[in-house]
Amino acid sequence: MRFVIVTGLSGAGKTLAIRYMEDMGFFCVDNLPPKLIPKFAELCYQSSGKIDKIAIVVDIRGGGFFDDLFECLYNLKELGYDYEILFLDANDDVLIKRYKESRRMHPLVREGRVIQGINMERERLKSVKEKATYVIDTSYMQPRQLKETLLNLFGDSQATQSMVISVVSFGYKNGILLDADLVFDVRFLPNPFYIDELKNHTGKDPDVRKYIFSFPETQIFLNKMEDMLDFLIPYYIKEGKSQLVIGIGCTGGKHRSVAIADAIYEMLRGKGHRVNIAHRDMQNKEE
């Protein structure tokens, strides 16, 4: 089990970090009072593996409760629970700029200058930073760089990448796929709907698939799709994209788009990508 306590300077990126860790499969809790950490850890360790990655944000928003953190860390060790501390930091000028851009007040200084709150917070967190397992300075990091750093520290070693690809077939007559990142129109392929013995079947049917793939343009299209996705996917991953939705559309979403979407799904899965498949309109009666 990985039990990570996320802390650090206000404005250094803890909220963004916890979102990325949640995408990595961590069970995340924000602003948990430190005194509750040992009990929470006990519940997680007793979950029989159902919860094996936990990230808890603890910072000075907890007020006086934050001062209990060291006692709670000691209790965790006494109980035999391993933990890691992730500390996020940033330069004063960067933190001030972020506060000005967000127009938020520093939690330690409701009245007064932001720099005063930052100085007070640094002093209170000095001992925590010294005990931290990892310290990340986010001063000049882009969000994707922070995500890449967190993936290197906490990502699943069995996964070669973090992005999930969804291949979804749909019919244009029922509206375009709204959440698609890439949309491909396969209405240029011959339509099985006009073949009486195929009309009432779907792209899952072997005879429908045989008909669609009997045309050379079908394989040419898939070859070009493969080349393009092989080119695009590594760059999407590099930019920190966590999900890619590929829409495959035909007229009604029952025949051509289903068969092509399934073929793309199998191709991507064969390359080791994390991919799932869905057919939005396959059960509609007409194409």
Side-chain angles (χ1 to χ4, degrees), residues 92-93 96 106 109 112-121:
D92 288 353
D93 56 341
I96 292 171
H106 194 282
V109 183
R113 298 171 61 201
V114 170
I115 188 61
Q116 294 174 318
I118 294 173
N119 290 335
M120 293 168 60
E121 188 176 21

Side-chain angles (χ1 to χ4, degrees), residues 4-6 13-24 26-30 54-57 86 88 146 150:
V4 183
I5 298 171
V6 181
K14 295 189 297 295
T15 299
L16 192 59
I18 207 72
R19 289 176 183 169
Y20 290 148
M21 294 182 76
E22 192 169 35
D23 289 343
M24 284 186 268
F26 276 79
F27 182 88
C28 300
V29 181
D30 190 15
I54 301 98
I56 300 175
V57 177
L86 170 64
L88 298 180
L146 174 59
L150 293 173

